[in-house]
Amino acid sequence: MNVLIKTFLVIISLVSLSLLSASPAVAQDNSQARERVANRCTIVTQRVDLITSRYEQNKNRHVERYQNIYQKVTELITRLENEGYDVEDLKASLGELNQKVREFAYEYNQVIKELNDSKNHVCGNNEGEYKQAITRARNNLLKAREKALEIRIMINDEIKPELRALLNTSRSN
């Protein structure tokens, strides 16, 4: 019986020694895991920053292009109106175009906002909120692209034909 107790004590001592000697290795694994998470946070944040800046540039380029079209058509309307042409339909189309450009800019701003919001969640422990923010950004990007398509269709199918019709009536008179 005495031998059994001694054997039991030896086994417990060996187990406790092995646990104590394993503690630095476990601590080292935890620090490596923390370092990997911090590196991941940095990499994802940099990638989101890059994507956000690209989307910002893209939005600015589109809005500038649409504003230039709006400005040129406005100047043409003014000139045609001074010459006595009926430009009310064209003015209505131009107002609708301006509204669509504002909606496009709003949707694109929402994309950028959601991407910036996702950066706050990537470094935290809530992976679900990060994925939700990215999903919302994608959905808003789809809406912005739909608005851009609507603008192109409106320019090509409404405004250009109206301008051509006005210019054709001026040539036939």
Side-chain angles (χ1 to χ4, degrees):
M1 177 90 167
N2 200 7
V3 174
L4 187 62
I5 293 175
K6 286 183 182 179
T7 309
F8 181 72
L9 289 176
V10 169
I11 291 174
I12 289 179
S13 327
L14 290 174
V15 169
S16 63
L17 279 175
S18 67
L19 289 176
L20 288 175
S21 65
S23 293
V26 171
Q28 186 177 9
D29 286 344
N30 284 341
S31 67
Q32 288 175 349
R34 279 190 224 115
E35 187 176 322
R36 280 193 305 265
V37 168
N39 287 342
R40 178 181 174 266
C41 176
T42 303
I43 290 169
V44 172
T45 302
Q46 289 172 347
R47 191 179 302 156
V48 169
D49 285 338
L50 177 67
I51 291 169
T52 303
S53 69
R54 285 181 185 164
Y55 282 142
E56 185 72 39
Q57 291 170 357
N58 194 25
K59 179 197 79 152
N60 291 338
R61 190 178 67 240
H62 276 83
V63 169
E64 184 179 322
R65 183 181 314 142
Y66 298 147
Q67 287 174 342
N68 286 339
I69 291 170
Y70 180 84
Q71 185 64 34
K72 288 178 183 179
V73 173
T74 301
E75 290 169 2
L76 187 58
I77 286 174
T78 303
R79 193 181 85 210
L80 290 173
E81 193 172 35
N82 289 339
E83 293 175 12
Y85 291 100
D86 181 23
V87 292
E88 293 305 315
D89 290 340
L90 196 54
K91 281 184 179 180
S93 295
L94 199 60
E96 190 178 337
L97 174 68
N98 193 29
Q99 178 62 31
K100 287 183 185 291
V101 170
R102 279 191 246 134
E103 291 170 0
F104 168 80
Y106 173 78
E107 292 298 337
Y108 234 99
N109 284 334
Q110 290 301 110
V111 171
I112 294 166
K113 177 186 167 285
E114 291 297 338
L115 285 173
N116 285 329
D117 187 39
S118 73
K119 287 190 300 190
N120 297 333
H121 300 300
V122 75
C123 295
N125 295 329
N126 200 341
E127 185 75 20
E129 288 183 22
Y130 170 74
K131 288 180 181 179
Q132 287 175 353
I134 293 296
T135 301
R136 287 191 304 266
R138 283 183 186 141
N139 291 338
N140 287 331
L141 183 60
L142 289 174
K143 290 177 188 176
R145 287 179 177 164
E146 287 173 6
K147 293 295 178 187
L149 179 61
E150 289 176 14
I151 291 169
R152 281 194 306 271
I153 289 171
M154 181 174 200
I155 289 170
N156 291 328
D157 294 349
E158 287 184 38
I159 294 176
K160 282 183 180 180
E162 288 175 11
L163 282 171
R164 284 188 187 114
L166 281 173
L167 293 175
N168 288 337
T169 59
S170 71
R171 290 182 185 142
S172 65
N173 288 340

